[in-house]
């Protein structure tokens, strides 16, 4: 399938991209995905398609159903406090994932990858990635219920969500590396994070260079 550039489906009037419905069946067994997962730091430069982007965002924080307490997401959340906010950085710009609507709100239309790589100590995997998924958190949401343990719970949740992304990239034949070494203030500024929202993790994603 020829990758479809993400920007082609941007609705410029509303600044949002309607994402395609997630694939909830898949063809690769979980055990195969677990056995194949590796950190990949070199990419071909080929873009990630709109369908792949949609699938990765759903894996990160998508709504996968509902029960008597409300919506359920693909990653667990302490007391359903849902502190995580997911951002995307691609050549098309900066996006913010809205799980309820399963859409991407475009916040900027310039390519921030090089600046983000610089904020991550010059790590080339960020500049070379077709897509960087930034996992950020509003810890105050969790602190309302779990005051003393909010920091711990939020970090654990980010790990759950990022592992979902890593496994989904593997299942799609993409490569990825989780990146935790970066300058928090610089990344916050680039992503234009609101006060109280902190960057926790970046995931560089692309087609693996073999
Ligand atoms: C919390 C955390 C932070 C990480 N930060 C970075 C990073 O900043 N840059 C990088 O290249 N890899 C980073 N990694 C990836 C590790 O280097 C990688 O997982 C490790 O070398 C093992 O390789 P594997 O993922 O292929 O099993 C990070 C991994 C974790 C769990």
């Amino acid at each position: 399938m020829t990758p479809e550039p993400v920007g082609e489906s941007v609705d410029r009037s509303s600044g949002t991209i309607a994402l395609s419905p997630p694939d909830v069946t898949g063809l690769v067994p979980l055990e195969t995905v677990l056995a194949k997962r590796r950190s990949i730091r070199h990419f071909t430069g080929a873009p990630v398609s709109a369908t792949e982007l949609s699938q990765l965002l759903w894996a990160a924080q998508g709504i996968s159903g509902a029960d008597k307490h409300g919506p359920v997401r693909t990653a667990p959340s302490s007391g359903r406090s849902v502190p995580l906010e997911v951002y995307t950085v691609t050549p098309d710009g900066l996006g913010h994932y809205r799980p309820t609507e399963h859409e991407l709100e475009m916040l900027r239309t310039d390519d921030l990858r090089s600046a983000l790589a610089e904020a991550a100590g010059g790590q080339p995997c960020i500049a070379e990635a077709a897509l960087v998924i930034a996992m950020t958190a509003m810890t105050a949401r969790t602190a309302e219920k779990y005051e003393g343990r909010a920091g711990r719970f939020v970090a654990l949740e980010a790990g759950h969500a990022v592992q979902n992304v890593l496994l989904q990239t593997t299942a799609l034949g993409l490569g990825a590396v989780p990146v935790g070494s970066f300058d928090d203030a610089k990344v916050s500024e680039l992503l234009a994070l609101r006060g109280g929202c902190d960057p926790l993790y970046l995931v560089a994603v692309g087609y693996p260079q073999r």
Side-chain angles (χ1 to χ4, degrees):
M1 185 173 55
T2 313
E4 163 199 350
V6 166
E8 275 188 10
S9 54
V10 173
D11 172 1
R12 300 272 173 207
S13 58
S14 67
T16 59
I17 298 173
L19 298 167
S20 51
D23 175 4
V24 296
T25 51
L27 293 174
V28 192
L30 174 61
E31 293 78 3
T32 304
V33 172
L34 289 170
K36 280 192 169 171
R37 186 215 61 82
R38 297 282 182 283
S39 287
I40 305 290
R41 297 179 178 80
H42 297 289
F43 308 107
T44 63
V48 166
S49 74
T51 308
E52 290 162 339
L53 175 72
S54 167
Q55 192 68 28
L56 291 170
L57 290 172
W58 180 78
Q61 276 296 283
I63 308 287
S64 55
D67 63 15
K68 63 179 180 181
H69 302 294
V72 177
R73 296 195 184 191
T74 49
S77 176
S78 52
R80 302 214 183 166
S81 55
V82 291
L84 302 180
E85 295 288 337
V86 185
Y87 290 82
T88 60
V89 174
T90 70
D92 294 318
L94 172 68
H96 171 240
Y97 181 50
R98 293 173 165 172
T100 306
E101 298 83 4
H102 190 53
E103 67 184 23
L104 193 65
E105 173 191 13
M106 293 308 292
L107 305 175
R108 290 174 68 150
T109 52
D110 50 339
D111 186 350
L112 297 174
R113 291 175 302 167
S114 297
L116 198 57
E118 228 171 273
Q123 296 192 57
C125 59
I126 300 281
E128 285 175 22
L131 159 71
V132 181
I133 292 183
M135 196 58 64
T136 77
M138 302 280 290
T139 304
R141 289 181 194 157
T142 304
E144 273 183 34
K145 271 193 172 179
Y146 306 104
E147 204 185 337
R149 296 178 86 74
R152 179 192 298 210
F153 283 3
V154 164
L156 292 170
E157 286 188 34
H160 289 302
V162 165
Q163 182 72 357
N164 281 3
V165 172
L166 298 175
L167 296 179
Q168 183 70 78
T169 55
T170 306
L172 291 170
L174 291 161
V177 59
V179 168
S181 297
F182 51 78
D183 182 311
D184 291 354
K186 285 185 186 161
V187 170
S188 298
E189 192 185 331
L190 281 170
L191 302 182
L193 297 183
R194 288 171 289 156
C197 191
D198 301 305
L200 297 178
Y201 229 168
L202 303 173
V203 188
V205 181
Y207 277 93
Q209 203 171 62
R210 299 194 195 276

